[in-house]
Amino acid sequence: MAHIKLENVVKRYGEVVAVKDFNLEIHDKEFVVFLGPSGCGKTTTLRLIAGLETPEEGDIFIDGDRVNDLSPADRDIAFVFQFYALYPHLNVYDNIAFPLKAVKVEKSEIDTQVKRVAEILQISEMLNRKPSVLSGGEMQRVALGRAMVRQPKVYLLDEPMANLDAKIRVDTRAEIKRLQYEIGATTIFVTHDQVEAMSLADRIAVIHLGVLQQIGTPHEIYNRPQSLFVAGFMGMPTMNLLEAELTSQDGAPVLRLSHTDVHLRIPPERHARITSDSQENGLVFGVRPEHITAANQPNERHIPAQVHLIEPLGAVNILDIRLGTHSQTQDPILLRVRVHPTFQAAVGDTIWLGFDDKEMHLFDQKTEQTVW
Ligand code: ATP
């Protein structure tokens, strides 16, 4: 249906640069999620694509045509906002039919389209009701129906589920994914919820301070973060990020986690990728809590450490392990490890930790870019 391209797009509000030199290509039929913390520029980027904002610099293309000067109405885009603005005096049928009536589509065709969309969204029984008697989830589906009935080139969805309670949110999420798959429309979905992003997206665009940090499949974003920000933003609990220094032990290169006695052996090919600039800038070691193994028995390749805190989460337990004490602040240096709830450990126990070098990450502290 549509291919979207943003080239060097900049948007400023006075002193604030909301979108910085943004380059992005979204393929036909793709489902892309804009993910980032509040104020990072997600909505502004969406509004630029919709034509509700004008960029100060750069170009926006839809299907190869530069659309910078096209009005929103001429871009053939349907926009669903966080706050679904339904017409309170119209029933569900007329709310959904509204965009078709506005462009004078024939009555019988409107009827076919409204009923088709209502069936997909499972709101056929509610067509005669007014919005005031609908639940939040139902109203949201009507708002989606109004966008879908038009069959536009592009759907832009700005936190469309923010007002729904947790259960309806999960149901609606599945619905949106199925619908997008069936309709095959290019879709951009804005959220600050990483679970929503992971579950919906073909590709996730992670945005921070108006800068596109990384775009990739959920798997790439989670497993191969290209910056400290992406590494620290994704995951629950998030990746362990600890300062480290490159040194050697018995003639072999090792990473020493700062303020601890933990020395991690690193393979030569990874050692070769650590530049002297990065060593000077400072190194940050990263490992996800699920990529550390914990054992109750000593093993010569594992590292002994003390359990500081246990957080039972039901399906898993998170252990906070104390690796050392910060020499200046005296704060504990902690590592979070995910274990099965049957793993036996009490606060104060010593356990043994194993690290898989294929699951280790390293970042340059100054550039915040990934070393490996
Ligand atoms: P949220 O998740 O909270 O909606 P967001 O990632 O969508 O945040 P934007 O709404 O795009 O972020 O805002 C990006 C930056 O631009 C913020 O610093 C915001 O305060 C600023 N901004 C957005 N719209 C305007 C405006 N109309 N006037 C001035 N500043 C604005």
Side-chain angles (χ1 to χ4, degrees):
M1 281 171 100
H3 171 266
I4 300 168
K5 193 171 174 188
L6 277 77
E7 260 181 20
N8 308 111
V9 169
V10 176
K11 177 68 196 170
R12 297 187 194 91
Y13 295 108
E15 296 285 287
V16 177
V17 189
V19 176
K20 289 182 194 154
D21 199 21
F22 211 92
N23 288 283
L24 175 66
E25 220 172 323
I26 297 172
H27 309 301
D28 186 28
K29 298 188 175 55
E30 202 176 16
F31 197 135
V32 168
V33 174
F34 287 176
L35 174 69
S38 184
C40 72
K42 307 179 292 292
T43 297
T44 306
T45 310
L46 209 64
R47 290 173 61 83
L48 285 163
I49 296 169
L52 300 168
E53 300 284 352
T54 313
E56 268 79 41
E57 292 172 35
D59 296 307
I60 301 170
F61 299 90
I62 299 178
D63 278 341
D65 297 325
R66 186 176 177 277
V67 295
N68 287 42
D69 305 319
L70 278 192
S71 71
D74 293 328
R75 295 190 188 194
D76 198 11
I77 280 174
F79 208 140
V80 181
F81 294 95
Q82 175 176 349
F83 303 103
Y84 28 85
L86 300 179
Y87 301 108
H89 59 289
L90 299 181
N91 64 18
V92 168
Y93 184 103
D94 289 328
N95 262 286
I96 297 175
F98 195 86
L100 299 181
K101 283 188 180 166
V103 291
K104 307 219 179 334
V105 173
E106 223 178 278
K107 225 172 166 186
S108 63
E109 175 62 15
I110 292 180
D111 195 57
T112 309
Q113 290 305 329
V114 171
K115 286 181 177 156
R116 177 187 66 86
V117 163
E119 200 165 313
I120 297 174
L121 290 168
Q122 295 165 21
I123 49 174
S124 303
E125 277 78 61
M126 299 163 202
L127 291 174
N128 293 321
R129 293 189 207 160
K130 290 275 171 61
S132 58
V133 299
L134 301 180
S135 72
E138 289 161 352
M139 282 200 262
Q140 191 61 65
R141 279 187 271 164
V142 178
L144 282 168
R146 199 170 53 188
M148 281 165 52
V149 79
R150 285 180 42 204
Q151 303 193 323
K153 277 187 182 172
V154 181
Y155 286 106
L156 302 180
L157 308 174
D158 190 358
E159 305 238 17
M161 304 195 286
N163 301 324
L164 308 187
D165 68 38
K167 160 99 177 69
I168 299 176
R169 223 178 142 109
V170 172
D171 292 349
T172 313
R173 188 166 81 201
E175 191 91 321
I176 288 179
K177 187 161 184 170
R178 187 176 61 80
L179 281 175
Q180 198 269 346
Y181 183 74
E182 275 175 20
I183 299 170
T186 308
T187 303
I188 308 177
F189 184 107
V190 162
T191 183
H192 58 265
D193 179 337
Q194 52 168 298
V195 176
E196 214 159 89
M198 293 289 285
S199 72
L200 284 171
D202 292 327
R203 285 192 301 159
I204 300 173
V206 183
I207 304 172
H208 179 47
L209 300 173
V211 176
L212 175 62
Q213 297 277 320
Q214 185 173 352
I215 175 145
T217 63
H219 181 85
E220 285 165 349
I221 296 286
Y222 190 81
N223 294 296
R224 294 201 291 281
Q226 284 167 11
S227 71
L228 255 179
F229 177 79
V230 176
F233 190 68
M234 303 299 290
M236 282 182 297
T238 52
M239 186 184 284
N240 291 292
L241 294 168
L242 300 165
E243 285 180 26
E245 302 106 44
L246 182 65
T247 165
S248 67
Q249 204 176 45
D250 307 328
V254 290
L255 275 179
R256 174 178 171 255
L257 304 187
S258 306
H259 312 285
T260 77
D261 290 329
V262 177
H263 293 76
L264 302 170
R265 287 198 167 227
I266 49 173
E269 69 277 9
R270 292 209 172 205
H271 176 227
R273 278 154 62 193
I274 307 173
T275 62
S276 51
D277 277 355
S278 287
Q279 286 182 59
E280 228 168 84
N281 291 343
L283 298 169
V284 178
F285 169 76
V287 62
R288 292 208 178 273
E290 66 268 31
H291 291 150
I292 304 164
T293 53
N296 294 108
Q297 302 302 323
N299 172 326
E300 63 171 302
R301 291 176 51 220
H302 287 184
I303 291 156
Q306 225 180 37
V307 178
H308 182 72
L309 191 80
I310 301 171
E311 298 173 65
L313 297 182
V316 296
N317 284 358
I318 304 298
L319 307 182
D320 282 14
I321 307 295
R322 188 176 188 131
L323 298 181
T325 305
H326 194 288
S327 53
Q328 280 107 50
T329 64
Q330 302 303 309
D331 289 335
I333 306 291
L334 297 176
L335 185 79
R336 297 182 118 187
V337 179
R338 195 173 83 174
V339 295
H340 194 269
T342 55
F343 182 80
Q344 294 291 321
V347 171
D349 282 359
T350 296
I351 61 168
W352 280 262
L353 305 175
F355 294 82
D356 175 352
D357 57 42
K358 286 191 285 304
E359 303 289 1
M360 292 178 178
H361 300 264
L362 195 68
F363 304 91
D364 181 313
Q365 198 165 23
K366 191 167 163 199
T367 64
E368 301 196 354
Q369 296 303 300
T370 299
V371 177
W372 35 259

PDB file of all heavy atoms in Angstrom, residues 13-14 16-19 36-45 53 82 158-159 190 192, ligand 1:
ATOM      1  N   TYR A  13      10.875  23.264  18.075  1.00  0.00           N
ATOM      2  CA  TYR A  13       9.878  24.131  18.708  1.00  0.00           C
ATOM      3  C   TYR A  13      10.697  25.142  19.506  1.00  0.00           C
ATOM      4  O   TYR A  13      11.144  24.816  20.605  1.00  0.00           O
ATOM      5  CB  TYR A  13       8.968  23.356  19.650  1.00  0.00           C
ATOM      6  CG  TYR A  13       8.095  22.320  18.975  1.00  0.00           C
ATOM      7  CD1 TYR A  13       8.358  20.963  19.142  1.00  0.00           C
ATOM      8  CD2 TYR A  13       7.003  22.696  18.196  1.00  0.00           C
ATOM      9  CE1 TYR A  13       7.552  20.014  18.537  1.00  0.00           C
ATOM     10  CE2 TYR A  13       6.203  21.753  17.588  1.00  0.00           C
ATOM     11  CZ  TYR A  13       6.478  20.411  17.766  1.00  0.00           C
ATOM     12  OH  TYR A  13       5.690  19.460  17.172  1.00  0.00           O
ATOM     13  N   GLY A  14      10.960  26.306  18.954  1.00  0.00           N
ATOM     14  CA  GLY A  14      11.817  27.289  19.632  1.00  0.00           C
ATOM     15  C   GLY A  14      13.189  26.677  19.860  1.00  0.00           C
ATOM     16  O   GLY A  14      13.841  26.222  18.925  1.00  0.00           O
ATOM     17  N   VAL A  16      13.758  23.930  21.562  1.00  0.00           N
ATOM     18  CA  VAL A  16      13.700  22.458  21.639  1.00  0.00           C
ATOM     19  C   VAL A  16      13.789  21.853  20.235  1.00  0.00           C
ATOM     20  O   VAL A  16      13.017  22.214  19.346  1.00  0.00           O
ATOM     21  CB  VAL A  16      12.368  21.994  22.290  1.00  0.00           C
ATOM     22  CG1 VAL A  16      12.268  20.471  22.317  1.00  0.00           C
ATOM     23  CG2 VAL A  16      12.225  22.570  23.682  1.00  0.00           C
ATOM     24  N   VAL A  17      14.771  20.942  20.062  1.00  0.00           N
ATOM     25  CA  VAL A  17      14.829  20.193  18.800  1.00  0.00           C
ATOM     26  C   VAL A  17      14.123  18.861  19.073  1.00  0.00           C
ATOM     27  O   VAL A  17      14.666  17.959  19.681  1.00  0.00           O
ATOM     28  CB  VAL A  17      16.280  19.961  18.329  1.00  0.00           C
ATOM     29  CG1 VAL A  17      16.283  19.379  16.913  1.00  0.00           C
ATOM     30  CG2 VAL A  17      17.072  21.251  18.368  1.00  0.00           C
ATOM     31  N   ALA A  18      12.869  18.781  18.654  1.00  0.00           N
ATOM     32  CA  ALA A  18      12.048  17.604  18.971  1.00  0.00           C
ATOM     33  C   ALA A  18      12.445  16.402  18.120  1.00  0.00           C
ATOM     34  O   ALA A  18      12.367  15.261  18.577  1.00  0.00           O
ATOM     35  CB  ALA A  18      10.568  17.925  18.770  1.00  0.00           C
ATOM     36  N   VAL A  19      12.875  16.660  16.858  1.00  0.00           N
ATOM     37  CA  VAL A  19      13.283  15.579  15.955  1.00  0.00           C
ATOM     38  C   VAL A  19      14.598  16.006  15.306  1.00  0.00           C
ATOM     39  O   VAL A  19      14.674  17.075  14.704  1.00  0.00           O
ATOM     40  CB  VAL A  19      12.196  15.323  14.875  1.00  0.00           C
ATOM     41  CG1 VAL A  19      12.669  14.278  13.874  1.00  0.00           C
ATOM     42  CG2 VAL A  19      10.886  14.881  15.526  1.00  0.00           C
ATOM     43  N   GLY A  36       9.992   4.775  22.796  1.00  0.00           N
ATOM     44  CA  GLY A  36      10.942   5.633  23.512  1.00  0.00           C
ATOM     45  C   GLY A  36      10.255   6.273  24.690  1.00  0.00           C
ATOM     46  O   GLY A  36       9.018   6.246  24.786  1.00  0.00           O
ATOM     47  N   PRO A  37      11.037   6.862  25.594  1.00  0.00           N
ATOM     48  CA  PRO A  37      10.433   7.475  26.776  1.00  0.00           C
ATOM     49  C   PRO A  37       9.639   8.735  26.422  1.00  0.00           C
ATOM     50  O   PRO A  37       9.774   9.269  25.314  1.00  0.00           O
ATOM     51  CB  PRO A  37      11.639   7.817  27.658  1.00  0.00           C
ATOM     52  CG  PRO A  37      12.790   7.891  26.722  1.00  0.00           C
ATOM     53  CD  PRO A  37      12.493   6.997  25.558  1.00  0.00           C
ATOM     54  N   SER A  38       8.860   9.198  27.360  1.00  0.00           N
ATOM     55  CA  SER A  38       8.037  10.382  27.167  1.00  0.00           C
ATOM     56  C   SER A  38       8.900  11.574  26.731  1.00  0.00           C
ATOM     57  O   SER A  38       9.968  11.802  27.288  1.00  0.00           O
ATOM     58  CB  SER A  38       7.339  10.692  28.498  1.00  0.00           C
ATOM     59  OG  SER A  38       6.474  11.754  28.311  1.00  0.00           O
ATOM     60  N   GLY A  39       8.438  12.276  25.703  1.00  0.00           N
ATOM     61  CA  GLY A  39       9.140  13.486  25.262  1.00  0.00           C
ATOM     62  C   GLY A  39      10.273  13.224  24.282  1.00  0.00           C
ATOM     63  O   GLY A  39      11.013  14.131  23.920  1.00  0.00           O
ATOM     64  N   CYS A  40      10.431  11.972  23.812  1.00  0.00           N
ATOM     65  CA  CYS A  40      11.578  11.655  22.942  1.00  0.00           C
ATOM     66  C   CYS A  40      11.340  12.062  21.491  1.00  0.00           C
ATOM     67  O   CYS A  40      12.256  12.025  20.675  1.00  0.00           O
ATOM     68  CB  CYS A  40      11.933  10.179  23.028  1.00  0.00           C
ATOM     69  SG  CYS A  40      10.731   9.111  22.220  1.00  0.00           S
ATOM     70  N   GLY A  41      10.090  12.412  21.142  1.00  0.00           N
ATOM     71  CA  GLY A  41       9.832  12.875  19.775  1.00  0.00           C
ATOM     72  C   GLY A  41       9.001  11.911  18.930  1.00  0.00           C
ATOM     73  O   GLY A  41       8.868  12.106  17.717  1.00  0.00           O
ATOM     74  N   LYS A  42       8.412  10.907  19.548  1.00  0.00           N
ATOM     75  CA  LYS A  42       7.628   9.908  18.792  1.00  0.00           C
ATOM     76  C   LYS A  42       6.416  10.552  18.118  1.00  0.00           C
ATOM     77  O   LYS A  42       6.209  10.404  16.911  1.00  0.00           O
ATOM     78  CB  LYS A  42       7.103   8.793  19.732  1.00  0.00           C
ATOM     79  CG  LYS A  42       8.151   8.125  20.584  1.00  0.00           C
ATOM     80  CD  LYS A  42       7.551   7.065  21.490  1.00  0.00           C
ATOM     81  CE  LYS A  42       6.641   7.558  22.599  1.00  0.00           C
ATOM     82  NZ  LYS A  42       7.309   8.316  23.659  1.00  0.00           N
ATOM     83  N   THR A  43       5.618  11.275  18.926  1.00  0.00           N
ATOM     84  CA  THR A  43       4.391  11.863  18.390  1.00  0.00           C
ATOM     85  C   THR A  43       4.718  12.904  17.327  1.00  0.00           C
ATOM     86  O   THR A  43       4.056  12.977  16.283  1.00  0.00           O
ATOM     87  CB  THR A  43       3.571  12.496  19.534  1.00  0.00           C
ATOM     88  OG1 THR A  43       3.207  11.444  20.424  1.00  0.00           O
ATOM     89  CG2 THR A  43       2.325  13.180  19.021  1.00  0.00           C
ATOM     90  N   THR A  44       5.753  13.695  17.589  1.00  0.00           N
ATOM     91  CA  THR A  44       6.119  14.727  16.610  1.00  0.00           C
ATOM     92  C   THR A  44       6.481  14.087  15.272  1.00  0.00           C
ATOM     93  O   THR A  44       6.055  14.564  14.209  1.00  0.00           O
ATOM     94  CB  THR A  44       7.296  15.579  17.145  1.00  0.00           C
ATOM     95  OG1 THR A  44       6.929  16.091  18.425  1.00  0.00           O
ATOM     96  CG2 THR A  44       7.640  16.719  16.214  1.00  0.00           C
ATOM     97  N   THR A  45       7.232  12.991  15.306  1.00  0.00           N
ATOM     98  CA  THR A  45       7.616  12.318  14.054  1.00  0.00           C
ATOM     99  C   THR A  45       6.373  11.812  13.324  1.00  0.00           C
ATOM    100  O   THR A  45       6.248  11.946  12.096  1.00  0.00           O
ATOM    101  CB  THR A  45       8.585  11.149  14.356  1.00  0.00           C
ATOM    102  OG1 THR A  45       9.626  11.629  15.191  1.00  0.00           O
ATOM    103  CG2 THR A  45       9.182  10.571  13.086  1.00  0.00           C
ATOM    104  N   GLU A  53       2.372  18.585  11.156  1.00  0.00           N
ATOM    105  CA  GLU A  53       3.507  19.464  11.461  1.00  0.00           C
ATOM    106  C   GLU A  53       4.355  19.567  10.200  1.00  0.00           C
ATOM    107  O   GLU A  53       4.352  18.641   9.373  1.00  0.00           O
ATOM    108  CB  GLU A  53       4.395  18.882  12.568  1.00  0.00           C
ATOM    109  CG  GLU A  53       3.724  18.636  13.896  1.00  0.00           C
ATOM    110  CD  GLU A  53       3.502  19.915  14.693  1.00  0.00           C
ATOM    111  OE1 GLU A  53       4.014  20.978  14.282  1.00  0.00           O
ATOM    112  OE2 GLU A  53       2.815  19.821  15.719  1.00  0.00           O
ATOM    113  N   GLN A  82      -4.452   8.751  20.847  1.00  0.00           N
ATOM    114  CA  GLN A  82      -4.607   8.189  22.192  1.00  0.00           C
ATOM    115  C   GLN A  82      -6.007   8.477  22.734  1.00  0.00           C
ATOM    116  O   GLN A  82      -6.624   7.649  23.376  1.00  0.00           O
ATOM    117  CB  GLN A  82      -3.540   8.825  23.073  1.00  0.00           C
ATOM    118  CG  GLN A  82      -3.625   8.467  24.511  1.00  0.00           C
ATOM    119  CD  GLN A  82      -2.447   9.077  25.261  1.00  0.00           C
ATOM    120  OE1 GLN A  82      -1.487   9.576  24.665  1.00  0.00           O
ATOM    121  NE2 GLN A  82      -2.508   9.057  26.558  1.00  0.00           N
ATOM    122  N   ASP A 158      -1.296   6.545  17.474  1.00  0.00           N
ATOM    123  CA  ASP A 158      -0.525   7.184  18.544  1.00  0.00           C
ATOM    124  C   ASP A 158      -1.032   6.715  19.901  1.00  0.00           C
ATOM    125  O   ASP A 158      -2.064   7.188  20.370  1.00  0.00           O
ATOM    126  CB  ASP A 158      -0.645   8.706  18.419  1.00  0.00           C
ATOM    127  CG  ASP A 158       0.337   9.410  19.347  1.00  0.00           C
ATOM    128  OD1 ASP A 158       1.061   8.715  20.094  1.00  0.00           O
ATOM    129  OD2 ASP A 158       0.380  10.651  19.325  1.00  0.00           O
ATOM    130  N   GLU A 159      -0.313   5.803  20.519  1.00  0.00           N
ATOM    131  CA  GLU A 159      -0.699   5.222  21.814  1.00  0.00           C
ATOM    132  C   GLU A 159      -2.197   4.905  21.838  1.00  0.00           C
ATOM    133  O   GLU A 159      -2.903   5.359  22.749  1.00  0.00           O
ATOM    134  CB  GLU A 159      -0.351   6.183  22.966  1.00  0.00           C
ATOM    135  CG  GLU A 159       1.114   6.582  22.960  1.00  0.00           C
ATOM    136  CD  GLU A 159       1.844   6.247  24.244  1.00  0.00           C
ATOM    137  OE1 GLU A 159       1.331   5.440  25.025  1.00  0.00           O
ATOM    138  OE2 GLU A 159       2.950   6.785  24.414  1.00  0.00           O
ATOM    139  N   VAL A 190       2.809   4.202  17.817  1.00  0.00           N
ATOM    140  CA  VAL A 190       3.652   4.856  18.823  1.00  0.00           C
ATOM    141  C   VAL A 190       3.341   4.313  20.209  1.00  0.00           C
ATOM    142  O   VAL A 190       2.169   4.183  20.579  1.00  0.00           O
ATOM    143  CB  VAL A 190       3.390   6.385  18.816  1.00  0.00           C
ATOM    144  CG1 VAL A 190       3.898   7.035  20.094  1.00  0.00           C
ATOM    145  CG2 VAL A 190       4.036   7.038  17.617  1.00  0.00           C
ATOM    146  N   HIS A 192       5.249   3.876  24.510  1.00  0.00           N
ATOM    147  CA  HIS A 192       6.438   3.884  25.361  1.00  0.00           C
ATOM    148  C   HIS A 192       6.540   2.553  26.104  1.00  0.00           C
ATOM    149  O   HIS A 192       7.382   2.391  26.982  1.00  0.00           O
ATOM    150  CB  HIS A 192       6.413   5.077  26.331  1.00  0.00           C
ATOM    151  CG  HIS A 192       5.223   5.093  27.216  1.00  0.00           C
ATOM    152  ND1 HIS A 192       4.089   5.812  26.918  1.00  0.00           N
ATOM    153  CD2 HIS A 192       4.968   4.448  28.349  1.00  0.00           C
ATOM    154  CE1 HIS A 192       3.189   5.609  27.848  1.00  0.00           C
ATOM    155  NE2 HIS A 192       3.691   4.774  28.730  1.00  0.00           N
TER     156      HIS A 192
HETATM  157  P1  ATP B   1       4.921  11.344  24.897  1.00  0.00           P
HETATM  158  O1  ATP B   1       5.159   9.869  24.941  1.00  0.00           O
HETATM  159  O2  ATP B   1       4.962  11.972  26.260  1.00  0.00           O
HETATM  160  O3  ATP B   1       3.723  11.731  24.084  1.00  0.00           O
HETATM  161  P2  ATP B   1       6.717  11.899  22.671  1.00  0.00           P
HETATM  162  O4  ATP B   1       7.882  10.985  22.579  1.00  0.00           O
HETATM  163  O5  ATP B   1       5.573  11.627  21.768  1.00  0.00           O
HETATM  164  O6  ATP B   1       6.222  11.989  24.174  1.00  0.00           O
HETATM  165  P3  ATP B   1       6.717  14.554  21.558  1.00  0.00           P
HETATM  166  O7  ATP B   1       5.321  14.838  21.959  1.00  0.00           O
HETATM  167  O8  ATP B   1       6.980  14.281  20.142  1.00  0.00           O
HETATM  168  O9  ATP B   1       7.294  13.352  22.429  1.00  0.00           O
HETATM  169  O10 ATP B   1       7.620  15.768  22.050  1.00  0.00           O
HETATM  170  C1  ATP B   1       9.014  15.896  21.756  1.00  0.00           C
HETATM  171  C2  ATP B   1       9.555  17.179  22.359  1.00  0.00           C
HETATM  172  O11 ATP B   1       8.983  18.310  21.692  1.00  0.00           O
HETATM  173  C3  ATP B   1       9.216  17.358  23.835  1.00  0.00           C
HETATM  174  O12 ATP B   1      10.289  17.968  24.463  1.00  0.00           O
HETATM  175  C4  ATP B   1       8.002  18.260  23.805  1.00  0.00           C
HETATM  176  O13 ATP B   1       7.908  19.014  24.985  1.00  0.00           O
HETATM  177  C5  ATP B   1       8.270  19.128  22.603  1.00  0.00           C
HETATM  178  N1  ATP B   1       7.042  19.587  21.938  1.00  0.00           N
HETATM  179  C6  ATP B   1       6.131  18.787  21.327  1.00  0.00           C
HETATM  180  N2  ATP B   1       5.128  19.529  20.792  1.00  0.00           N
HETATM  181  C7  ATP B   1       5.404  20.815  21.076  1.00  0.00           C
HETATM  182  C8  ATP B   1       4.771  22.071  20.776  1.00  0.00           C
HETATM  183  N3  ATP B   1       3.642  22.127  20.085  1.00  0.00           N
HETATM  184  N4  ATP B   1       5.367  23.180  21.230  1.00  0.00           N
HETATM  185  C9  ATP B   1       6.513  23.145  21.920  1.00  0.00           C
HETATM  186  N5  ATP B   1       7.185  22.008  22.225  1.00  0.00           N
HETATM  187  C10 ATP B   1       6.651  20.850  21.812  1.00  0.00           C
END
